[in-house]
Amino acid sequence: MQPITTVHYLVLSAALLLIGTIGVLTRRNIVIILMSIELILNAVNINLVAFSQHVQNMGGQIFTIFVITDAVAEAAVGLGILIALFRNKETVQADQIDLLKW
C-alpha cells in the first residue's frame, strides 16, 4: 500500500480549487457561488496543512484556523446580505441583482 504524500494532498486541493472556480464563474445562484467560494477556501486550507506537515512547522496549521474563522464570518455576512437582497428583489440570481447600476 502506497503512503499518502504531499502530492496527494496537492492533487485534492487542485481538484477542489478547480471545482470552486468553475462554480463561481458559471453559476448564477448566489448560494451556489458562496458554496464555491467555501470550496476554494478549503483548497487553500488543505495546501496550508499539507505544506505545514511537509516542512514540520505548525505555522500553516495555525493559519488554517484563522482562514476557517474568516470563512465562517464571510458565510454569515454573505447569507445576511443574501437574505436582505431576497427581501428586496425576490430573487437569488446574481444576474438579476443590479443595485449598483446607474
Side-chain angles (χ1 to χ4, degrees):
M1 181 173 214
Q2 184 179 6
I4 297 177
T5 63
T6 306
V7 175
H8 292 94
Y9 290 114
L10 294 179
V11 169
L12 174 65
S13 176
L16 285 177
L17 181 71
L18 181 67
I19 292 169
T21 304
I22 290 172
V24 168
L25 295 177
T26 60
R27 299 296 179 179
R28 293 182 183 160
N29 191 335
I30 296 176
V31 176
I32 303 296
I33 293 172
L34 287 174
M35 288 191 315
S36 298
I37 292 171
E38 294 294 328
L39 276 177
I40 293 170
L41 289 173
N42 283 330
V44 170
N45 287 337
I46 290 173
N47 274 338
L48 286 170
V49 171
F51 285 124
S52 175
Q53 180 66 30
H54 182 72
V55 298
Q56 297 295 317
N57 187 358
M58 292 293 291
Q61 295 177 12
I62 293 169
F63 193 65
T64 298
I65 293 173
F66 291 113
V67 173
I68 291 170
T69 305
D70 182 52
V72 169
E74 174 259 334
V77 170
L79 288 175
I81 292 171
L82 179 66
I83 290 171
L85 284 172
F86 183 75
R87 287 182 181 169
N88 288 333
K89 293 289 188 174
E90 296 180 355
T91 184
V92 292
Q93 301 298 322
D95 57 351
Q96 295 177 357
I97 298 172
D98 55 356
L99 294 176
L100 296 178
K101 289 185 180 179
W102 290 79

